[in-house]
Amino acid sequence: MLKIAIYGSRRQAPYKEKIRALLRRLALSDVCILMDRKLYRHLADDLGMSLPGVCEAPEAYADMEDVDMVLSIGGDGTFLRTAAWVGRAGTPVLGINTGHLGYMAPLSIDDAPEYVDCITAGDYNVEPRSLIAVEGIKTHGWPYALNEVVLSKDDSASMVSAVAKIDGIDLATYKADGLIIATPTGSTAYNLSAGGPIVQPSAPVVVLTPIAAHSLGMRPLVVNGDSCLSVRVEGRGHTFRLTLDGRTTVVPMGTEISLHRADFTVNVVQPHGAGFPNVLHDKLMFNA
């Protein structure tokens, strides 16, 4: 029997009937369904849904065995939290979009029930996505980023100086409001808003993009993904912010952060015909 775990945003009231249709289709396909307990209680208690055939999942993903796929119901923020929930397990994750653009959620909730046949038949592609591992500081939560790591000033501080090294060699001192270190997956997130390049998700690179640089000579930079980066943040304030995919830790000024590619990947499910060019054309209006 196929076993599927479901993780999702607790803002699903507008999609109640569509989620019900998806769960019904999974149950009729003889799928074992395990749902994150927060989503389960939101659907059952807050929205009053009956959930036949759906079991509450253990709090820790590692306590489940032999999960074939994880469904992430929500937007990109939900997908990032789903990736942290799955952790190192490597279970393929399919994003089902009930958010806004949904760069990482290629399947709409409208199409999800009909896609169950493809799931049960294994008729889909899986793309491994790299993550950035952070060392040298105790972070708030999971010390990995699927989108980006951001080192930025506190609200009350002036600009910071991010002194960066690559493989132990001095690279640059970024005088700016902050510095984004983005994965290829995250190149269409904060990096893009800050003027960084769009990168194909399979490219083995990392992007460094300053936020509101105080020098015309500071430009986004693409480096080898196997590089080891270190960044020491200096400034007039006492602390700066270290943010991994939206999870923020306040760090003493002068702390050096080490960053490198994680030794595992997040495996993203892509329906046939979906992928990077579709995201560019359909969601970013590339060449429109």
Side-chain angles (χ1 to χ4, degrees):
M1 176 183 288
L2 198 70
K3 184 185 290 186
I4 289 181
I6 301 178
Y7 190 97
S9 163
R10 286 171 286 166
R11 296 183 182 88
Q12 301 298 350
Y15 309 101
K16 175 180 175 180
E17 294 307 317
K18 295 175 181 179
I19 292 173
R20 191 195 308 276
L22 171 61
L23 296 176
R24 184 184 302 118
R25 188 65 176 265
L26 288 169
L28 289 173
S29 299
D30 199 29
V31 173
C32 174
I33 309 168
L34 298 168
M35 184 177 288
D36 172 64
R37 62 181 58 186
K38 292 181 180 179
L39 177 61
Y40 185 98
R41 292 172 185 175
H42 168 63
L43 297 179
D45 299 339
D46 299 339
L47 302 185
M49 286 178 60
S50 174
L51 299 171
V54 181
C55 300
E56 282 191 58
E59 184 172 356
Y61 184 86
D63 291 337
M64 290 185 282
E65 296 181 355
D66 303 322
V67 176
D68 296 286
M69 183 183 288
V70 175
L71 305 184
S72 174
I73 302 177
D76 289 336
T78 302
F79 193 97
L80 294 174
R81 291 190 293 275
T82 305
W85 187 55
V86 173
R88 291 175 166 271
T91 310
V93 182
L94 172 62
I96 298 175
N97 188 29
T98 61
H100 298 292
L101 287 174
Y103 293 114
M104 290 182 284
L107 195 66
S108 75
I109 188 63
D110 294 323
D111 298 332
E114 295 303 316
Y115 193 71
V116 169
D117 289 343
C118 293
I119 294 173
T120 56
D123 187 20
Y124 51 82
N125 297 320
V126 177
E127 294 182 357
R129 301 289 182 90
S130 62
L131 302 96
I132 297 172
V134 173
E135 296 179 347
I137 188 70
K138 183 175 177 59
T139 61
H140 178 68
W142 205 46
Y144 301 95
L146 177 58
N147 261 2
E148 77 271 304
V149 177
V150 182
L151 302 96
S152 59
K153 66 176 187 175
D154 271 343
D155 291 338
S156 59
S158 58
M159 72 173 189
V160 295
S161 295
V163 183
K165 294 183 179 182
I166 180 169
D167 296 326
I169 301 171
D170 290 342
L171 176 64
T173 298
Y174 292 89
K175 296 182 181 298
D177 286 354
L179 179 65
I180 302 166
I181 301 97
T183 67
T185 298
S187 69
T188 52
Y190 195 0
N191 168 75
L192 182 61
S193 299
I198 299 171
V199 180
Q200 187 168 0
S202 58
V205 299
V206 171
V207 182
L208 283 75
T209 301
I211 305 167
H214 291 235
S215 167
L216 292 176
M218 290 284 95
R219 290 289 182 265
L221 180 66
V222 180
V223 302
N224 190 313
D226 291 329
S227 301
C228 292
L229 300 170
S230 65
V231 183
R232 186 180 71 256
V233 179
E234 301 173 344
R236 295 178 181 175
H238 298 292
T239 59
F240 67 93
R241 294 183 177 185
L242 172 67
T243 305
L244 286 71
D245 289 346
R247 307 181 304 275
T248 298
T249 303
V250 177
V251 181
M253 197 68 77
T255 301
E256 184 169 276
I257 309 295
S258 297
L259 310 100
H260 59 86
R261 180 188 288 165
D263 59 359
F264 64 98
T265 60
V266 172
N267 294 315
V268 179
V269 174
Q270 293 284 8
H272 292 302
F276 181 62
N278 299 78
V279 171
L280 288 181
H281 298 150
D282 299 340
K283 299 188 178 184
L284 291 177
M285 303 303 170
F286 189 79
N287 198 37

